[in-house]
Each structure stands twice: as C-alpha cells, then as structure tokens.
Amino acid sequence: MILRIIFSCFFFSLLVSSCTTKVDGVPINEELIPYYELFKEEAALRGVIFDNSVAQIEGYLQNIPDSGVLGACKRNAENEDNPQIFLDKPYWRTATNLEREYVMFHELGHCFLKLGHDDSKDNKGDCVSIMASGIGNCNSNYNQFNRDSLITELFTK
C-alpha cells in the first residue's frame, strides 16, 4: 500500500511538472511557450525588446471561474513584482491559433507593456486595439487581414 501511494505521488508530480516548465527560470505552461516566443518576435520587428528572463512573467492555464473571462494578468499590488498570466483552460483547448495569439498578446500587453483596456472602434464598430476589454463596446475582429496593424498598434502605444 505504501509503495502504491509513493508511486501515485510520483506519477502526479511528473504529470504536473510536464505541463509547466521553467524557461529562463520562469514557470510557463508548455502550451504557452510558442506564444511567448511569437510575442518576442513581433516585438523585435517593431523595435521592442521582450526578454522574459528580465520581465519574469509566469504563464498558466487554469479554469477561470468568472464567466466570459479568457485571461488575466495578476501582479503583486504593492510593488508590481511577480507578474502572472492566467488563461482559461477550457477556452484555450477550443481556441484557434489566432484566438490564442490574441488573448496571449492582450495579457502580455497588460503584464509586459503595462497597458490598460482600449475600447476604441472604427466606423464599422470594430475594435482598433488588441487591448479591447471584451465587454461589448466594440466588435473584436482579429483576423489574418488586420493582425499586423493591430500588433503594430499594440507595440506603439
């Protein structure tokens, strides 16, 4: 019985550690790593250096109980240390790569660029910023045609 308990604990810790790894000493869920790298590449194309070994922004997939919340950037309220991104696991599992990119860039906009929400819209009512709040003030229409201009807007705020 003791051996079974030890094996179960070992298996569980292996399962948990296989989901989150440390990149430059920062815990990040393995599924999120490509989006951190893409953010770094897009930032560099626009003259912004994103070095997460310095920024230390952790990234986690978890169930977010607030209905409709796809992600969140959390910081220590007193000194803004220990920035953490939490993305809703059920949403992430069904999202397209473009939708994942959008929500990850939005949360990195909060955590790294320290941006707030921007619900500005064009004459069609479409959001003109990745930093839109998502509460319906503008229509989120992130797609392959406006992706470049919205990412440029993100890094030039």
Side-chain angles (χ1 to χ4, degrees), residues 38-111:
L38 187 57
F39 185 85
K40 180 179 181 173
E41 291 169 19
E42 294 293 344
L45 289 172
R46 291 158 178 87
V48 176
I49 297 170
F50 173 65
D51 181 354
N52 205 35
S53 68
V54 175
Q56 297 282 300
I57 301 170
E58 299 174 14
Y60 302 99
L61 285 176
Q62 69 177 37
N63 293 335
I64 298 177
D66 293 334
S67 177
V69 175
L70 305 180
C73 167
K74 305 277 185 185
R75 295 180 169 277
N76 179 323
E78 292 177 18
N79 57 15
E80 295 199 356
D81 284 346
N82 196 31
Q84 300 171 317
I85 290 176
F86 297 95
L87 299 169
D88 187 53
K89 195 175 200 176
Y91 171 78
W92 191 263
R93 296 284 185 250
T94 62
T96 66
N97 284 334
L98 204 57
E99 291 167 336
R100 289 175 176 184
E101 176 183 285
Y102 180 86
V103 72
M104 176 58 85
F105 281 29
H106 177 94
E107 295 311 330
L108 283 167
H110 287 310
C111 275

Side-chain angles (χ1 to χ4, degrees), residues 110-126:
H110 287 310
C111 275
F112 177 67
L113 299 170
K114 298 182 179 170
L115 299 173
H117 287 134
D118 179 354
D119 288 329
S120 301
K121 55 188 168 186
D122 64 15
N123 59 0
K124 295 183 290 182
D126 291 336

Side-chain angles (χ1 to χ4, degrees), residues 4 11-12 18 52 101 118 141:
R4 194 163 132 196
F11 180 74
F12 179 74
S18 70
N52 205 35
E101 176 183 285
D118 179 354
N141 190 25

